Amino acid sequence: RALAMAMVLAALVAATGLSCAGAFDRPAPPRAEKGVLDLRQWNFERDGPLPLKGEWDFYWQRLLGPGDFSSSPGPLRSGSFNVPDSWNHYAIDGKHLPGHGCATYRLRVTSDYPGALSLGAFHPNTAFRLWVNGRLLGRAGRVSADPSLASPGQVSRTVDMPPREEADIIIQVSNHSYTYGGIWNNLYIGRKEDIRRRRENALAYDMFLFGSLFI
């Protein structure tokens, strides 16, 4: 048991050291503000994948799809909530949100990268459906406002995005199983090969931790 714990701690220290060393070479990553993220100053080849952090448009207890945003002015948002974070930490009309429920997140991304990009969702821990520019590209579990019809998803997903200067990302989320709801973990955008490598590294790390605990 002591050997397994030492191995886990060594891996954590190594991962932290690598991330800190790389942080000095990278520019400050852009963050989303009020549902918009500008990536035109981010170099995916040099700086690698970017977490889609910041303020996403948030629509509480509404499962909205691309068709709901096709006309102006569109649905009235409940607020701009941070991703990644639990929606439990936010309030609407003075009332804190419960863990169980459903919501829609939306983010509009601008990028001048000439090639195709990919999105990576690792350990979503909740049911979701993901659209990019009107196309359903990813899902996990079963999304529903009805607890009897919903089921959580635990599978990591990577989806490929066609080359385009603007991307409209819509994510439906439902949670009826856990204390905390929402998008808990980072979503990443980057070159296809970088996103898939990050997913493989995450899976390998999970296997290492499981093996260490098993030992």
Side-chain angles (χ1 to χ4, degrees):
R1 182 181 300 175
L3 177 60
M5 291 300 297
M7 293 171 64
V8 172
L9 289 174
L12 290 173
V13 171
T16 303
L18 289 173
S19 63
C20 291
F24 290 105
D25 301 328
R26 295 186 178 185
R31 292 179 61 90
E33 295 182 3
K34 297 182 178 179
V36 177
L37 178 61
D38 189 342
L39 300 181
R40 286 174 291 185
Q41 301 302 316
W42 186 259
N43 189 321
F44 287 102
E45 294 181 353
R46 181 192 65 199
D47 304 319
L50 177 78
L52 298 178
K53 289 184 176 182
E55 298 174 339
W56 290 51
D57 288 343
F58 183 81
Y59 304 84
W60 176 239
Q61 295 293 52
R62 303 184 69 183
L63 296 176
L64 304 173
D68 296 300
F69 298 99
S70 60
S71 60
S72 183
L76 181 64
R77 67 185 181 186
S78 304
S80 296
F81 288 6
N82 279 326
V83 171
D85 201 356
S86 167
W87 61 46
N88 300 51
H89 297 148
Y90 297 89
I92 296 177
D93 296 331
K95 297 181 180 179
H96 277 278
L97 303 184
H100 292 181
C102 64
T104 300
Y105 292 81
R106 186 188 186 204
L107 181 67
R108 282 148 292 171
V109 179
T110 301
S111 171
D112 57 4
Y113 183 72
L117 294 173
S118 293
L119 289 176
F122 310 120
H123 309 295
N125 293 323
T126 188
F128 75 89
R129 283 196 294 250
L130 183 151
W131 286 266
V132 179
N133 293 334
R135 296 174 57 191
L136 180 62
L137 296 181
R139 66 172 68 198
R142 181 181 296 174
V143 177
S144 178
D146 186 343
S148 65
L149 300 177
S151 60
Q154 295 284 348
V155 181
S156 299
R157 291 281 187 255
T158 60
V159 298
D160 298 329
M161 302 166 51
R164 190 168 176 178
E165 292 184 356
E166 296 184 355
D168 188 359
I169 303 173
I170 298 171
I171 304 179
Q172 294 179 352
V173 174
S174 67
N175 173 56
H176 304 285
S177 303
Y178 304 106
T179 303
Y180 293 93
I183 301 177
W184 304 350
N185 296 309
N186 278 320
L187 291 89
Y188 287 86
I189 186 170
R191 299 185 304 169
K192 181 177 180 178
E193 58 269 28
D194 293 335
I195 291 295
R196 297 198 181 282
R197 188 180 303 115
R198 178 175 284 273
R199 180 176 183 270
E200 292 170 359
N201 291 341
L203 292 174
Y205 186 67
D206 285 347
M207 293 179 64
F208 170 77
L209 287 181
F210 177 79
S212 299
L213 293 173
F214 182 77
I215 292 173

